[in-house]
Amino acid sequence: MAGLASSKISSDFHSLLYTSYTQNPSSRSKFRKSIYFPSALIDGQGATSYSVRSRQMNHVKCGMKAASSIVDPSSVSVVDELKSKEWEIGALKDELAATQGIRIRRQPPTDPPLHYVGPFEFRLQNEENTPRNILEEIVWNKHVEVTQMKEKVTIDSLKKALESAHPPRHFIGALKASYLRTGFPGLIAEVKKASPSRGVLREDFDPVEVAKAYEKGGAACLSVLTDAKYFQGCFENLEAIRNAGVQCPLLCKEFIVDAWQLYYARTKGADAVLLIAAVLPDLDIKYMLKICKMIGLTALVEVHDENEMDRMLAIDGIQLIGINNRNLETFKVDISNTKKLLEGERGEKIRQKDIIVVGESGLFTPADIAYVQEAGVKAILVGESIVKQKDPTQGIRQLFGKDISS
Ligand SMILES: O=C(O)c1ccccc1NCC(=O)[C@H](O)[C@H](O)COP(=O)(O)O
């Protein structure tokens, strides 16, 4: 089915372009008929489980440059056709994400391939191909990183490794138990050496020592940064903490852009993963939630604004939502963001759905904790204010204004 539909679309597409081009060669419009495969589906099996859907002709502005040369149509290779199709799929993914308010493009807008329409060739104009902000840069880099990792570690080998993986620890259960025990939001303490917004936070950074100090201070769970380039983290830290006998459930703090990463994180000792609504379209979130449930991972779905919160509240199966007070595009931190997103109908819907909310970023004092707790959070995710303390155990005591360890 997919193959047939694709070739039909391809011929329609080119015949339409040929007609458009020959009738009004100066036309400044691009017709695009595209196919959408959610990126999360392309894990080697999923892609065939989705029907190919040709979409309405989209009439969007672009410039069609006059043919620079006359080519023999029979010389257009299958590779050119596939490159053209790949480019169209990438462009459509961004277009579909944009309809959900997502501004992050998953990959650089590559140069559109040369289009061959009958005896003509032309190239559609290109958008800027530099990242618009740090989050988009991280996501583009992550795509390259994961593509390279997937060449070395297959999804089948990961699925095989999962057969002997440790049983997952109950991430949400630990947060709820901590809240009941202390009367404070459960603490997800973040093992983070550095970040794009704050640089190096802790020079003498021993992840296992930091993790043990957090556990001693009363953390319910830990968040472990595994991104190397922008946070100086790594998966070896996650494994080392797991293997050091730390009992806290572990959140793999990674930028998930591909379902393969979920399997990989689970094999490296993760009990939970982060799904960022600013990066992942709804279909990817839904698909990844299913995979998380299947392989024993808790999903912390992160939002920053009302649009992202409304999108996530419309998705069934989400149990844990993190409200990030840091704008990951501008780095601006404002803890009132948590209050804003929990007011009114949104707060009511969260209570009805029994969703646990995590207040994330910019929490430094007992007053900050009281503020977000009053807003309705049952858990908090804290990095900078405790990881930079000489004694992180003491840092937790200062953060809460009391010893929450027993
Ligand atoms: O912290 C950054 O600079 C950053 C930049 C781009 C994407 C994510 C980023 N941080 C991840 C986080 O959200 C924080 O590590 C986490 O919420 C803890 O925040 P904090 O307590 O302020 O360290």
Side-chain angles (χ1 to χ4, degrees):
M1 160 63 178
L4 175 65
S6 169
S7 59
K8 168 116 181 46
I9 287 171
S10 176
S11 58
D12 288 355
F13 175 80
H14 287 120
S15 58
L16 186 95
L17 279 176
Y18 183 79
T19 311
S20 158
Y21 190 87
T22 46
Q23 280 167 0
N24 51 336
S26 60
S27 74
R28 294 191 54 74
S29 66
K30 168 176 72 177
F31 294 89
R32 185 164 54 217
K33 191 175 204 177
S34 316
I35 303 170
Y36 174 57
F37 285 115
S39 58
L41 285 179
I42 303 176
D43 67 0
Q45 286 87 23
T48 54
S49 62
Y50 255 62
S51 64
V52 171
R53 285 195 306 279
S54 69
R55 305 175 64 80
Q56 292 305 319
M57 293 296 178
N58 295 326
H59 197 88
V60 293
K61 279 200 182 349
C62 86
M64 267 202 224
K65 296 187 178 68
S68 54
S69 63
I70 302 295
V71 294
D72 169 6
S74 63
S75 70
V76 176
S77 73
V78 171
V79 172
D80 290 325
E81 285 282 338
L82 287 175
K83 277 183 187 167
S84 173
K85 197 55 66 192
E86 188 179 7
W87 181 79
E88 287 161 16
I89 288 174
L92 187 91
K93 281 181 188 174
D94 289 340
E95 204 171 298
L96 183 88
T99 64
Q100 295 172 17
I102 294 172
R103 296 179 299 279
I104 298 297
R105 296 165 297 170
R106 296 283 283 277
Q107 296 178 54
T110 49
D111 263 344
L114 279 172
H115 273 292
Y116 300 93
V117 180
F120 302 102
E121 72 172 20
F122 64 94
R123 186 187 296 281
L124 302 177
Q125 77 182 29
N126 191 18
E127 307 166 62
E128 83 287 352
N129 56 7
T130 53
R132 294 171 184 151
N133 54 60
I134 184 63
L135 184 57
E136 188 166 82
E137 180 182 334
I138 291 172
V139 168
W140 289 8
N141 177 71
K142 196 56 66 181
H143 176 78
V144 173
E145 214 176 271
V146 171
T147 302
Q148 291 166 350
M149 291 171 78
K150 287 170 75 171
E151 286 166 5
K152 300 188 186 97
V153 181
T154 65
I155 188 76
D156 287 338
S157 67
L158 290 176
K159 290 178 178 177
K160 184 74 181 158
L162 279 185
E163 292 170 7
S164 54
H166 71 82
R169 290 185 166 94
H170 202 311
F171 196 87
I172 293 177
L175 293 175
K176 286 181 174 177
S178 179
Y179 184 78
L180 290 174
R181 177 173 61 83
T182 69
F184 287 107
L187 171 61
I188 305 171
E190 189 151 84
V191 183
K192 170 172 67 171
K193 176 174 183 175
S195 72
S197 60
R198 309 291 292 158
V200 173
L201 293 164
R202 188 182 186 91
E203 288 291 352
D204 63 328
F205 180 78
D206 177 328
V208 172
E209 289 310 311
V210 170
K212 286 181 174 177
Y214 282 162
E215 187 165 56
K216 182 181 173 189
C221 300
L222 304 183
S223 167
V224 183
L225 266 297
T226 50
D227 174 81
K229 183 172 182 180
Y230 299 93
F231 292 85
Q232 298 191 35
C234 59
F235 279 95
E236 288 71 24
N237 290 351
L238 184 67
E239 286 183 301
I241 291 168
R242 163 66 70 233
N243 297 334
V246 169
Q247 293 306 305
C248 293
L250 305 179
L251 166 68
C252 173
K253 194 72 173 308
E254 182 57 90
F255 295 83
I256 303 293
V257 296
D258 187 303
W260 178 94
Q261 291 172 276
L262 304 177
Y263 292 91
Y264 189 74
R266 181 75 176 82
T267 63
K268 293 296 180 182
D271 302 293
V273 289
L274 186 72
L275 302 179
I276 301 177
V279 173
L280 299 170
D282 296 358
L283 197 53
D284 283 6
I285 297 273
K286 291 174 183 174
Y287 186 73
M288 290 186 182
L289 284 171
K290 287 189 169 67
I291 292 180
C292 285
K293 188 171 183 177
M294 189 173 68
I295 63 176
L297 281 174
T298 296
L300 170 59
V301 180
E302 182 175 285
V303 302
H304 174 72
D305 59 29
E306 291 93 336
N307 174 61
E308 291 169 8
M309 178 63 92
D310 293 343
R311 282 176 49 210
M312 295 307 107
L313 289 178
I315 294 177
D316 290 335
I318 293 177
Q319 298 174 292
L320 196 59
I321 290 181
I323 297 176
N324 204 328
N325 297 312
R326 174 175 286 107
N327 181 316
L328 302 188
E329 297 177 23
T330 65
F331 294 163
K332 179 176 177 286
V333 179
D334 179 355
I335 67 171
S336 69
N337 191 49
T338 293
K339 186 172 191 303
K340 184 173 66 174
L341 268 59
L342 290 178
E343 287 174 330
E345 286 182 21
R346 289 188 186 97
E348 189 49 42
K349 195 160 187 182
I350 283 167
R351 284 185 290 277
Q352 284 168 0
K353 298 184 84 169
D354 196 22
I355 291 172
I356 301 287
V357 176
V358 184
E360 302 175 358
S361 299
L363 300 173
F364 289 82
T365 67
D368 293 340
I369 292 183
Y371 177 83
V372 295
Q373 183 167 1
E374 175 62 26
V377 310
K378 296 281 193 303
I380 53 175
L381 193 155
V382 179
E384 180 183 351
S385 66
I386 52 179
V387 76
K388 69 182 184 183
Q389 301 299 327
K390 185 169 176 49
D391 176 4
T393 302
Q394 185 58 26
I396 292 177
R397 285 195 194 110
Q398 286 165 355
L399 174 65
F400 284 86
K402 65 175 289 191
D403 182 347
I404 63 163
S405 63
S406 52

